[in-house]
Amino acid sequence: MDRISDLPDELISRIVSLLAAKDAASLLVTSRRFGDIYKIIPDLEFDDKAKFQGTFTDLVSEALARLETTTCIRRFSLKSERGIDPDRFHHWLRDVLNHRGVMVMDLELRIKGNNGYTLPSEIFACKTLIKLKLGMDIVITVLPENALLPALETLVLDSVRFCNPADCAFKAFLLACPVLKELTIDGMYWETWDWSGIVSSQSLERLTIGRALTGFDGPDPQYITFDTPSLTYLDYLDYVPDG
C-alpha cells in the first residue's frame, strides 16, 4: 500500500528533504504523488560512496529527468570519488542550470579524476547562485565572455587548479563575482597554478587560504598581490611567498 501518497504535501516535502538521494529517488517509484511534490524539494544531493540500487549514473539521470516540474532547487550537490564521464558530468549540470524554472542557490561539486574536469560555461553565468563550492580535480582555464555571478557571496575552492597565465582565469573568476563576501582556498598549491599572482576583489570581506604543508616545488621567486580593500578577516596557512 502507498501510505506516503495520503500524507499532506508539506509533510511529504519535509520527509523527502531529510532523505539521502538514493532514498528520495526510490520514492519516484513507490509514491504516485511524489512527482507532484518533487518540485518543492529543497535539496538534491548525490554521492557515489552511498549505497544504492543500480548504477550511480542511472540514479542521477533518473532523478534529474523529473526536473520538468521543478520550480526551485535550493541546493544541488554532486560528489564522486570514482570519477564520471566528462560528457555526462556536463550534461547533468546543464540539466540543472538550464532547465526552465530551476533556481539553484547552493551548488557543490566534488569530482575526482586523473585528467581533471572542466566546467560548463553555464556555471559562470548563473544569476541565482549564492554559494559555490568546487572540489578535487576541477581545472579552470578560461571563463566565457558573459561570465557573471551577480548573487554569489560565498566561494570555496578545494584543490581546484587555474591554468591560464596570459588571461588569468582566477582573476576573471573573482571579477565575475561583484558581491563576493567570503573566499576560501583550501588544499592549495600556488606553484601548480598558471596565474597572475593577484587576488583582487573590491567586495571581499573574509579570506581563508590553506594548504597541506608537504613541501614547495614552485619556481623562485613567487609573488602574490592582495587587492582587497574591504577585507576584515584573513586566515593564511601557507608558505610565505618571496614578494
Side-chain angles (χ1 to χ4, degrees), residues 64 67 73 76 91-99 102 104:
L64 295 186
L67 286 178
I73 301 175
F76 181 79
H91 179 72
W92 286 341
L93 292 180
R94 289 192 171 108
D95 273 352
V96 172
L97 296 173
N98 284 342
H99 204 283
V102 174
V104 181

Side-chain angles (χ1 to χ4, degrees), residues 220-240:
D220 195 27
Q222 287 283 309
Y223 295 94
I224 297 177
T225 298
F226 294 94
D227 177 20
T228 52
S230 300
L231 198 68
T232 59
Y233 174 87
L234 173 64
D235 183 356
Y236 185 93
L237 177 61
D238 200 347
Y239 292 102
V240 178

Side-chain angles (χ1 to χ4, degrees), residues 21-199:
K22 63 182 181 67
D23 297 321
S26 69
L27 285 181
L28 294 172
V29 178
T30 60
S31 176
R32 64 178 180 273
R33 282 184 52 235
F34 182 69
D36 296 329
I37 305 304
Y38 189 74
K39 62 184 178 181
I40 54 178
I41 292 179
D43 302 334
L44 279 178
E45 301 182 12
F46 302 97
D47 190 334
D48 67 3
K49 292 190 298 183
K51 294 181 179 180
F52 46 83
Q53 292 183 344
T55 67
F56 183 68
T57 296
D58 290 341
L59 174 70
V60 179
S61 296
E62 181 179 0
L64 295 186
R66 302 189 64 86
L67 286 178
E68 59 183 2
T69 58
T70 303
T71 57
C72 179
I73 301 175
R74 185 183 64 194
R75 183 173 186 271
F76 181 79
S77 175
L78 179 63
K79 300 178 182 178
S80 175
E81 293 287 334
R82 305 169 188 170
I84 302 172
D85 175 74
D87 291 336
R88 177 76 66 176
F89 174 61
H90 278 217
H91 179 72
W92 286 341
L93 292 180
R94 289 192 171 108
D95 273 352
V96 172
L97 296 173
N98 284 342
H99 204 283
R100 182 180 179 182
V102 174
M103 185 173 63
V104 181
M105 292 173 280
D106 186 342
L107 177 63
E108 178 180 8
L109 303 173
R110 186 174 181 84
I111 312 297
K112 203 168 186 178
N114 294 330
N115 298 322
Y117 287 86
T118 60
L119 298 173
S121 60
E122 287 84 352
I123 285 184
F124 302 106
C126 182
K127 294 179 172 56
T128 59
L129 272 183
I130 297 175
K131 182 177 181 180
L132 175 61
K133 184 174 182 179
L134 304 175
M136 297 304 291
D137 297 317
I138 290 177
V139 179
I140 300 175
T141 57
V142 64
L143 267 69
E145 293 183 359
N146 66 334
L148 180 62
L149 297 157
L152 191 68
E153 297 181 356
T154 302
L155 176 61
V156 179
L157 304 173
D158 186 356
S159 303
V160 174
R161 289 189 294 120
F162 289 85
C163 302
N164 191 340
D167 185 13
C168 182
F170 177 72
K171 186 177 180 180
F173 199 167
L174 295 189
L175 186 62
C177 308
V179 298
L180 187 66
K181 290 182 172 57
E182 183 171 359
L183 171 63
T184 299
I185 305 174
D186 203 5
M188 187 48 55
Y189 296 89
W190 299 106
E191 64 272 24
T192 66
W193 283 22
D194 291 324
W195 69 310
S196 64
I198 299 174
V199 181

